[in-house]
């Protein structure tokens, strides 16, 4: 490759989960330290980082089509951008990307992106650089301070996964479970609040597996961390995602009943409602144990909203087994859900299992499942009508004077009034649709 002029502008495109969004923000902060700024809207960037997701086949394929598009746009503009591939596809298929896509200068895994500046230096010399090491904690230590963001911020507290569900690539792309130290997290949360955050969502592939030592040297879990963060003045709301049913501690359940700033919302994927399928998935829990766990959350916080993830068409799934998934959706009455067709991922045990389900059956099951989920979501929203709650204002709506924000139960709420982004307002929920609610403004709680 020819030596390149150092980039002055960048754009990060993050795909996949919220942890990638967090990583994308942190890469931006690293680049800002070098004086590289975000490319203005509508303009080509000198450096494009594709922060990729490997979870399903379609997500992974996007990388190559995006690289193709970037190269074509660069030709048209007479200047090819420097292309970096980060994230989980970089981790899983780094060498393949380098071989297949000569336009890519940098391949950097999710645990190595703190080394991006050095890699840019190498790219400037005309070298192509790959780094897919996994020094997770070293990465966090090497990152610069947090910068100003919107009122709702992400904070990665835990990374990696040791669960090895038989369909999933995450344990391979993100590595083993690690918890960031308590003191680092308290410090980063303070920085986020100073930068304007009113709400922090704690992130982890298995966020409730987080464990650490508090200021007094006591071992604490996520519930203890949340209690400590709730003491930060100016931080009004705390959320966390994604939880795994097997790492749930009493302390976290109790926090839902006791910590006012902890929002009444729990994302707890179950994947299937059938025990044979759950076993084949290596989920290590049953439908029954999952339902009992939810009962405990509801006992601690009766208005808690539940959301989940589902996979339809796991190898060998029969019609009767799929019907158990529909039943568990009815039983839990989720406020929201993500549902996916099973996607065989290279290197995972399920990819070579017998009984792979034909696509048309998967399509049909997904449609039925999504219809059922939609019914419960609408019912949940309708049941909220008449409630008065706080809404964190996140952005302007489409109409004049209209604002959009989130209810404590993570519903999108729109209302009209004189406001600013970051205000916490009191709103009475007045009308419900499947994906949002209309509210009537009562008063501003904090400004
Ligand atoms: N750690 C979380 C989820 C991480 S991945 C948990 O265990 O719950 C997010 C979601 O993607 C999963 O919950 C699952 O529903 C879905 N998913 C993961 N691998 C998949 C695959 N091979 N095919 C289809 N969906 C998948
Ligand atoms: Fe993947 Fe299972 Fe780990 Fe979730 S718990 S990240 S689904 S292996
Ligand atoms: Fe995708 Fe990696 Fe997240 S595979 S879902 S970006 S952990």
């Amino acid at each position: 490759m020819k030596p390149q002029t150092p980039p002055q502008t960048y754009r990060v495109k993050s795909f996949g989960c919220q942890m990638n969004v967090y990583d994308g923000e942190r890469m931006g902060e690293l680049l800002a330290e070098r004086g590289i700024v975000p490319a203005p809207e509508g303009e080509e960037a000198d450096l494009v980082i594709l922060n990729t997701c490997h979870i399903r086949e379609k997500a992974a394929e996007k990388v190559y089509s995006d690289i193709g598009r970037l190269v074509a746009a660069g030709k048209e503009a007479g200047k090819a951008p420097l292309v970096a591939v980060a994230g989980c596809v970089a981790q899983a298929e780094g060498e393949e990307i380098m071989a297949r896509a000569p336009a890519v200068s940098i391949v950097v895994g999710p645990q190595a992106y703190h080394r991006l500046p050095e890699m840019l230096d190498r790219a400037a010399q005309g070298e192509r650089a790959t780094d897919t090491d996994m020094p997770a904690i070293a990465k966090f230590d090497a990152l610069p301070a947090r910068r100003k963001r919107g009122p709702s911020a992400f904070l990665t507290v835990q990374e990696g996964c040791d669960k090895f569900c038989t369909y999933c690539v995450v344990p391979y792309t993100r590595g083993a479970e690690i918890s960031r130290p308590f003191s680092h997290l308290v410090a980063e949360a303070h920085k986020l609040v100073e930068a304007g955050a009113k709400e922090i969502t704690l992130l982890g592939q298995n966020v409730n597996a987080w464990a650490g030592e508090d200021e007094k040297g006591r071992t604490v879990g996520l519930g203890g961390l949340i209690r400590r963060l709730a003491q930060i003045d100016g931080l009004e709301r705390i959320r966390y995602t994604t939880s795994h049913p097997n790492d749930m501690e009493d302390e976290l359940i109790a926090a839902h009943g006791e910590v006012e700033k902890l929002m009444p919302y729990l994302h707890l994927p179950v994947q299937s409602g059938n025990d044979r399928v759950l076993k084949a998935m290596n989920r290590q829990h049953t439908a029954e144990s999952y339902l009992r766990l939810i009962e405990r959350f509801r006992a601690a916080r009766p208005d808690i909203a539940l959301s989940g993830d589902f996979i339809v068409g796991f190898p060998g799934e029969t019609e009767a087994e799929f019907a158990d998934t529909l039943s568990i959706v009815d039983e839990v009455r989720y406020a929201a859900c993500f549902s996916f067709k099973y996607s065989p991922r290279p290197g995972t045990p399920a990819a070579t299992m017998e009984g792979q389900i034909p696509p048309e059956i998967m399509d049909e099951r997904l449609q039925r499942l999504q219809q059922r989920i939609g019914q419960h979501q609408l019912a949940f929203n309708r049941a909220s009508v008449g409630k008065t709650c706080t809404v964190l204002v996140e952005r302007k709506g489409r109409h004049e004077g209209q604002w959009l924000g989130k209810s404590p139960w993570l519903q999108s709420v729109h209302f009209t009034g004189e406001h600013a982004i970051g205000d916490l307002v009191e709103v009475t929920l007045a009308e419900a649709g499947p994906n949002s609610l209309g509210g009537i403004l009562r008063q501003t709680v904090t400004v």
Side-chain angles (χ1 to χ4, degrees):
M1 276 204 161
K2 285 196 304 254
Q4 310 237 8
T5 27
Q8 290 173 353
T9 60
Y10 75 89
R11 178 163 296 126
V12 183
K13 278 184 79 177
S14 288
F15 305 89
C17 63
Q18 289 145 321
M19 306 200 53
N20 257 13
V21 176
Y22 174 89
D23 291 341
E25 288 175 0
R26 308 251 43 200
M27 286 183 225
E29 287 159 356
L30 266 172
L31 297 171
E33 280 220 314
R34 294 218 143 190
I36 308 174
V37 297
E41 196 84 33
E43 276 182 35
E44 302 293 330
D46 299 340
L47 165 67
V48 179
I49 302 177
L50 301 174
N51 193 19
T52 59
C53 173
H54 200 240
I55 201 86
R56 283 169 290 274
E57 198 176 347
K58 275 215 177 101
E61 275 169 4
K62 265 196 83 40
V63 185
Y64 295 101
S65 59
D66 267 27
I67 295 169
R69 213 170 304 136
L70 283 171
V71 172
K75 273 202 187 121
E76 207 166 286
K79 191 176 85 147
L82 191 66
V83 180
V85 180
C88 291
V89 182
Q91 190 67 39
E93 295 180 5
E95 280 176 28
E96 198 184 323
I97 295 168
M98 280 298 192
R100 249 177 88 173
V104 173
S105 301
I106 291 174
V107 164
V108 62
Q111 310 298 16
Y113 63 78
H114 55 297
R115 301 197 190 123
L116 201 52
E118 299 149 44
M119 300 177 85
L120 283 172
D121 289 342
R122 287 172 58 194
Q125 305 297 316
E127 278 179 49
R128 300 176 84 198
T130 301
D131 192 340
T132 48
D133 276 1
M134 289 204 162
I137 287 287
K139 168 183 79 184
F140 290 109
D141 288 345
L143 292 172
R146 302 307 316 264
R147 294 195 167 221
K148 192 163 172 51
R149 300 253 157 226
S152 184
F154 290 139
L155 172 51
T156 293
V157 304
Q158 181 277 342
E159 279 210 87
C161 181
D162 300 337
K163 303 286 188 288
F164 291 94
C165 300
T166 53
Y167 51 82
C168 185
V169 292
V170 172
Y172 312 98
T173 62
R174 292 272 171 168
E177 286 180 8
I178 61 113
S179 295
R180 292 181 63 195
F182 186 92
S183 60
H184 296 201
L185 297 171
V186 174
E188 191 170 326
H190 270 286
K191 284 272 180 294
L192 286 168
V193 172
E194 282 163 26
K198 296 272 172 65
E199 173 177 273
I200 293 182
T201 302
L202 308 177
L203 300 179
Q205 266 92 19
N206 289 293
V207 70
N208 56 332
W210 183 89
E213 259 185 26
D214 71 4
E215 282 124 341
K216 296 199 174 98
R218 291 173 301 207
T219 302
V220 288
L222 189 68
L225 177 65
I226 287 171
R227 280 179 205 273
R228 174 64 187 82
L229 297 180
Q231 291 168 10
I232 299 177
D233 280 342
L235 177 61
E236 306 293 342
R237 292 176 153 196
I238 302 171
R239 302 181 182 276
Y240 62 93
T241 197
T242 296
S243 301
H244 191 284
N246 289 3
D247 290 320
M248 208 54 91
E249 288 184 338
D250 296 348
E251 190 191 11
L252 181 58
I253 301 176
H256 273 280
E258 293 160 15
V259 180
E260 220 182 306
K261 292 180 180 178
L262 180 57
M263 292 294 102
Y265 192 93
L266 174 67
H267 181 61
L268 193 63
V270 64
Q271 314 298 353
S272 163
N274 177 269
D275 288 346
R276 191 205 63 81
V277 174
L278 288 170
K279 196 159 196 297
M281 287 176 163
N282 191 31
R283 288 291 294 182
Q284 314 234 7
H285 59 76
T286 61
E288 190 59 28
S289 68
Y290 175 84
L291 290 169
R292 295 292 81 83
L293 184 58
I294 283 182
E295 269 175 18
R296 289 169 59 206
F297 274 92
R298 285 189 163 143
R301 181 77 204 225
D303 70 336
I304 197 163
L306 269 305
S307 78
D309 290 348
F310 290 92
I311 295 176
V312 302
F314 186 79
E317 184 189 66
T318 64
E319 173 58 30
E321 288 167 347
F322 170 66
D324 287 342
T325 294
L326 294 177
S327 304
I328 206 165
V329 169
D330 289 341
E331 200 146 347
V332 176
R333 303 180 314 276
Y334 291 96
C337 277
F338 299 96
S339 48
F340 312 100
K341 285 184 272 188
Y342 167 72
S343 172
R345 306 306 294 127
T348 60
T352 50
M353 282 181 187
E354 280 180 18
Q356 301 285 326
I357 306 290
E360 58 280 8
I361 296 187
M362 285 211 247
D363 283 335
E364 186 260 341
R365 287 183 188 166
L366 185 68
Q367 215 178 9
R368 278 155 68 200
L369 176 60
Q370 290 186 337
Q371 193 191 12
R372 193 71 65 97
I373 288 168
Q375 286 167 0
H376 287 286
Q377 189 168 320
L378 182 59
F380 182 85
N381 287 347
R382 284 193 175 144
S384 309
V385 170
K387 283 187 188 172
T388 297
C389 63
T390 57
V391 168
L392 177 61
V393 183
E394 290 180 5
R395 58 193 166 92
K396 281 191 171 167
R398 243 178 297 156
H399 308 293
E400 185 64 30
Q402 192 188 46
W403 297 92
L404 289 177
K406 293 275 165 36
S407 77
W409 307 281
L410 211 60
Q411 296 149 301
S412 287
V413 179
H414 53 88
F415 61 92
T416 36
E418 278 286 299
H419 279 288
I421 290 166
D423 283 353
L424 261 181
V425 297
E426 205 168 277
V427 164
T428 301
L429 303 173
E431 43 174 331
N435 300 313
S436 66
L437 289 128
I440 298 164
L441 182 69
R442 294 288 167 222
Q443 59 171 315
T444 302
V445 182
T446 58
V447 182

